[in-house]
Structures are given as C-alpha cells and as structure tokens.
Amino acid sequence: MKPSLLNKLAQLTERLEEMDRLLAVETIVDDMDNYRKLTREHAEILPVVSLYRAYAETEANLANATDMLADVEMRELAELEISDSKARLSDLEARLQAALLPRDANDERNVFVEIRAGTGGDESALFSADLLRMYLRYAERQRWKVELISESMSELGGYKEVIVKIIGRGVYSRLKFESGGHRVQRVPATETQGRIHTSACTVAVMPEADEVADVNLNPADLRIDTYRASGAGGQHINKTDSAVRITHIPTGIVVECQDDRSQHKNKAQALSVLAARIKDKQTREIAAKEAATRKSLVGSGDRSERIRTYNFPQGRITDHRINVTLYKIDAIMDGDLDELLAALASEYQAELLAAIGE
C-alpha cells in the first residue's frame, strides 16, 4: 500500500482514539451540536479504522508465516497461511481505497424532499402524489421516520407541491441522486380516448442543516408574514393566523408552513426548510462548477435536468444518467428502490475513483 495511504490511515486511527476519549466524558452531552458532530464523525471513521486494523493484523500474520518457512515441519502450513494472507491483503487494500474516497459531508444527514408538479397539469400533480408514495414506501422499508412539512393539493387529489422531512441514518447518502426532473408516460385517469400523455415533476432532495444557525440567516434579511391557514384542519386552524410565510430577501426564496395549529411550530419548521434550501443552493452552485469540469451524477443541481422516465404502458423505468432500464415499474413505484439506488451509488463511486486516478 502507498505510504501516503498508510499515513492517512494512521492519522484516522489517532483521531478515532481521540474521539473515544472525548465521547467518554459525561459532560460531552452539554453541547449537543458538538456531540452530534462528534458522533457523526465517529460513525464515519470507525469502519475505515476497523478495516485498517484488520489489514495490519493480516500483515503481521503474513510476516509470522514467512518466518515459519524456515521450519521444515511448519513449511506446508506456512505456505497456506502466506497464500491466504496475500489474498486477504489484496481484498482489504481494495476496500480501504474505496473507504478513503472523498465523503460527502451531508451523507448522514436527514433530508427534506420537495416534489413539485411541472408540465402536464392535473396529471403532473397526480404523479407528484405517486412519487411521494414511492419515497414514503421506501422510507418505510428502511424504517425511517417521515414528517409532513407542507402540502398544496390539486383539485383531483394530487400535489402541486409537497415537502416531507425524512429522518434516519444515512438518508441523504441513499436519496441524493433523486434530485432532478422525473418524466411520466401513461394514460391519465381523465383521458377518455386512451391516449398516452407525457408530464413531469421535479424533485429536490435537500440535506437538513444541523441547526438553523449553521446557515447564516440574518434577521434583517427575513420578511415573516402570518396569515390564516386554508384548507383542511378544523375550526381552530382556520380561525387563527397560525400559518407562516418567510421570505429570504437576498435570494428570493419563499417558504410557507401551515400544517400545525401552532404559529411557533410553523415558524420553526419554515426556518428549518429555509435553511435547507439556502444550504442546497450553495451546494448546487459548487456542484455546477464541478460539473463544468467533469460529469457528475449529482449534476449541476438544475432541477429541469431530466434524470428518469417512468413508462407505464411498457412497464419500464429508465435512468438516463447511467443508461439503466428496469422492467419492474410496479415494484419500484411501491418503494423497491434498492437496485436502482445501488446502481447510481456504484456509478458515482466509479466516478470518484476515476477522478482520484486523474
């Protein structure tokens, strides 16, 4: 293994031991922000250090077996141990190189998933509801928690826009490739002639900021309006000004939240979504610069970029970024996303390895 990699692994081992000492201190939980950051970093480093320790142990076994070759009685056993150790070292080295690939700092974060109807009118809004159900069913399979943040219903029961928060370990690492344009081809329920229509929705997967304070939100840059909620919710929600609209003046980003009876809770939710949107905007600007120099599955962040087509008459789903077509549309729409997401993650890892090679 290259000396530079061994040096990096030694540094990670020292850092893990340092974090073990810090996390063992009872007062560590007094600063929850620092505690969360430490536990996240610990969870990221531990698997790498475990591999490195296995690599070092295998190296030691190889050295001992080599010394045993001088003993005639032990030679056959030593040769077998040398062969096994060399094969294991090769495997561990490959796994360590993959584990040392640059990690997305947001991978372990919770996310906000924002789905918006696009071209296609009512059919697009209905497809938004189908996409939401797909992600909710996938979250259920992963045992993640889901919270509805806001929704704007269409007349036929779909969504003009819906935002949910998905909470769990490694959520962003699994769903980050879902941002972009999703196109559907099918016969709408309202179509009397049996013609296939094409419509589209956009999906944005935004990592949650640890705290709103992580994003620089100057109160002078915010316009906060309260108003009476509309739609379902009972008498109380419709008779008080509990709904909140926050406008971030420098960027023009507007967030509305009216799904809770408490104005305070709606404001907190809206600020959380606003922080995530601003963080996402900053991330997309960086990604756009990277995309100018090399292709990336994360892309430029352009939500109009078509990433996937759902063709219901032919029962297929095609991801245009990796040229993968799966004929299992019913299973995928029911949340069976593992095969598709694994293919995207594998391609992304290949991109990173190629970039390192360059």
Side-chain angles (χ1 to χ4, degrees):
M1 189 181 296
K2 293 180 180 178
S4 58
L5 288 180
L6 290 172
N7 184 50
K8 174 69 175 176
L9 289 165
Q11 291 174 359
L12 289 176
T13 302
E14 291 178 5
R15 175 59 178 160
L16 184 69
E17 292 170 353
E18 179 187 8
M19 284 190 291
D20 284 337
R21 291 192 294 271
L22 291 172
L23 290 170
V25 179
E26 291 184 3
T27 55
I28 187 67
V29 294
D30 292 345
D31 185 347
M32 287 306 295
D33 284 347
N34 185 49
Y35 176 72
R36 277 193 292 266
K37 289 174 181 176
L38 275 175
T39 53
R40 181 180 295 125
E41 185 183 356
H42 189 280
E44 290 174 357
I45 292 178
L46 180 59
V48 183
V49 174
S50 296
L51 281 173
Y52 176 52
R53 285 170 176 166
Y55 182 88
E57 182 181 347
T58 305
E59 267 197 327
N61 291 341
L62 177 61
N64 290 334
T66 302
D67 291 340
M68 287 166 55
L69 286 173
D71 188 333
V72 176
E73 294 182 359
M74 300 294 291
R75 181 172 298 168
E76 185 176 347
L77 179 63
E79 289 175 346
L80 182 62
E81 178 66 25
I82 288 171
S83 177
D84 288 346
S85 294
K86 285 182 176 179
R88 182 163 169 74
L89 279 175
S90 179
D91 175 63
L92 286 169
E93 184 171 351
R95 290 166 63 187
L96 277 167
Q97 286 179 344
L100 287 172
L101 287 172
R103 291 203 55 163
D104 190 328
N106 295 319
D107 272 353
E108 293 300 316
R109 293 181 186 270
N110 304 324
V111 301
F112 292 101
V113 177
E114 177 183 279
I115 306 173
R116 291 182 182 178
T119 55
D122 287 332
E123 167 62 7
S124 176
L126 290 171
F127 184 53
S128 290
D130 292 337
L131 287 176
L132 176 63
R133 181 182 181 276
M134 179 181 76
Y135 293 126
L136 294 185
R137 292 286 289 123
Y138 180 69
E140 182 181 331
R141 290 167 184 254
Q142 304 302 315
R143 297 184 178 180
W144 293 336
K145 182 181 176 183
V146 178
E147 295 177 0
L148 177 66
I149 302 300
S150 68
E151 60 180 348
S152 175
M153 304 286 292
S154 70
E155 293 179 0
L156 295 182
Y159 293 103
K160 297 176 183 176
E161 178 183 289
V162 60
I163 303 174
V164 294
K165 181 180 179 181
I166 302 180
I167 303 163
R169 184 172 179 179
V171 178
Y172 185 71
S173 69
R174 301 276 190 91
L175 296 180
K176 63 183 175 183
F177 304 119
E178 292 301 294
S179 293
H182 294 243
R183 185 178 68 170
V184 60
Q185 295 172 325
R186 66 183 177 187
V187 179
T190 55
E191 171 58 53
T192 58
Q193 303 295 320
R195 293 172 297 186
I196 296 173
H197 287 227
T198 299
S199 55
C201 299
T202 59
V203 173
V205 177
M206 303 172 289
E208 179 189 28
D210 278 336
E211 294 291 339
V212 172
D214 283 358
V215 176
N216 185 21
L217 290 179
N218 186 340
D221 293 336
L222 304 178
R223 184 172 70 245
I224 302 177
D225 302 307
T226 58
Y227 59 98
R228 190 163 300 174
S230 60
Q235 292 182 345
H236 176 83
I237 197 171
N238 292 318
K239 287 189 175 181
T240 62
D241 290 340
S242 60
V244 175
R245 179 187 298 112
I246 301 179
T247 304
H248 186 243
I249 297 171
T251 61
I253 295 174
V254 179
V255 177
E256 298 181 357
C257 193
Q258 62 175 20
D259 291 285
D260 199 283
R261 293 186 175 190
S262 164
Q263 183 186 114
H264 175 74
K265 288 184 179 178
N266 281 329
K267 180 180 177 182
Q269 289 278 39
L271 281 171
S272 184
V273 175
L274 178 62
R277 283 187 176 172
I278 292 173
K279 183 181 181 71
D280 181 59
K281 182 176 183 294
Q282 294 168 348
T283 301
R284 286 189 284 118
E285 288 172 351
I286 294 172
K289 294 178 182 177
E290 292 178 351
T293 57
R294 70 178 179 90
K295 176 191 171 189
S296 174
L297 283 177
V298 179
S300 64
D302 184 357
R303 302 300 179 224
S304 65
E305 179 186 359
R306 187 186 71 190
I307 64 168
R308 193 175 297 148
T309 295
Y310 303 71
N311 188 305
F312 279 81
Q314 297 181 19
R316 63 175 168 83
I317 287 184
T318 300
D319 195 290
H320 305 290
R321 296 163 295 178
I322 53 177
N323 294 319
V324 165
T325 297
L326 300 175
Y327 287 88
K328 48 187 290 187
I329 194 167
D330 290 339
I332 289 175
M333 296 308 295
D334 194 44
D336 184 8
L337 294 172
D338 284 333
E339 184 178 357
L340 190 56
L341 297 183
L344 287 161
S346 178
E347 182 69 19
Y348 182 60
Q349 187 177 81
E351 284 183 7
L352 291 177
L353 284 169
I356 290 174
E358 292 170 2

